[in-house]
Amino acid sequence: MRRRAGALTVTAAVLCLTSGCGVPPSGVIEVGEPATGMTLSKAVYFLDAESSLHAVARPEIPDANPVAAAVRELLAGPTPTESEYLTTALPPDLPQPEITVTAATILIRFPPGTPRLTSAALHQLTCTTALTTHPTRPRPAPPSDAAAAPRQTPPTIHITTPNTPPQPTPTPPTCL
């Protein structure tokens, strides 16, 4: 009797697999154009264990000055989960700077009493600002007979601390 029950189970399994278990066949389902990649437009840059810049996405929060909003997010530091693998070179309790944005330049001016910023801290600020004003997108390759679209130039970023004249802060190539 046991042997017959085993044979029935195997037979039922074979029938189910070959018949589709009652799932009707379907035709081709159109879903539109393939995805071309996400746009990274709201993120802040922190440092990993090797002191390399690492972008961390942040939710979009409506603000009249998106650069100021991004800098506020950066100054808040990594979340508790992010701080397990990321850190910041920005001094703790760094005050919110005055930020002026024009088409060609962004001036980030810290108030008196602000400590000197390391190059790593400046890179975090510069990359976060550059991304906010100039989002990065994966670009599809142009057709072989077409010229590549000209790339827009991001604004020049000036970061100043007290008693330091504004100087253009080059955007590190690692954050472009």
Side-chain angles (χ1 to χ4, degrees):
M1 184 69 159
R2 263 187 166 179
R3 189 170 188 177
R4 188 171 181 173
L8 285 175
T9 303
V10 171
T11 303
V14 169
L15 284 174
C16 184
L17 288 174
T18 57
S19 68
C21 295
V23 176
S26 65
V28 175
I29 300 171
E30 295 291 332
V31 294
E33 294 294 316
T36 57
M38 293 175 42
T39 299
L40 183 60
S41 62
K42 183 70 165 89
V44 293
Y45 281 84
F46 294 119
L47 302 171
D48 62 19
E50 287 81 35
S51 296
S52 297
L53 291 166
H54 183 80
V56 179
R58 290 291 187 256
E60 199 67 45
I61 299 171
D63 194 299
N65 186 339
V67 174
V71 170
R72 268 194 309 277
E73 291 275 340
L74 178 63
L75 296 180
T79 65
T81 302
E82 293 165 351
S83 60
E84 293 177 13
Y85 58 96
L86 295 173
T87 188
T88 183
L90 296 164
D93 301 322
L94 191 63
Q96 179 71 22
E98 175 188 327
I99 299 174
T100 306
V101 179
T102 68
T105 62
I106 297 172
L107 177 60
I108 300 174
R109 187 184 329 240
F110 284 94
T114 301
R116 185 174 182 90
L117 300 177
T118 65
S119 62
L122 290 171
H123 289 163
Q124 284 183 257
L125 282 162
T126 303
C127 288
T128 297
T129 302
L131 180 64
T132 302
T133 59
H134 199 71
T136 60
R137 299 181 172 82
R139 293 173 166 250
S144 59
D145 60 342
R151 191 173 181 144
Q152 291 179 323
T153 305
T156 302
I157 301 167
H158 299 272
I159 300 173
T160 65
T161 54
N163 303 318
T164 305
Q167 297 177 8
T169 306
T171 304
T174 55
C175 67
L176 296 177

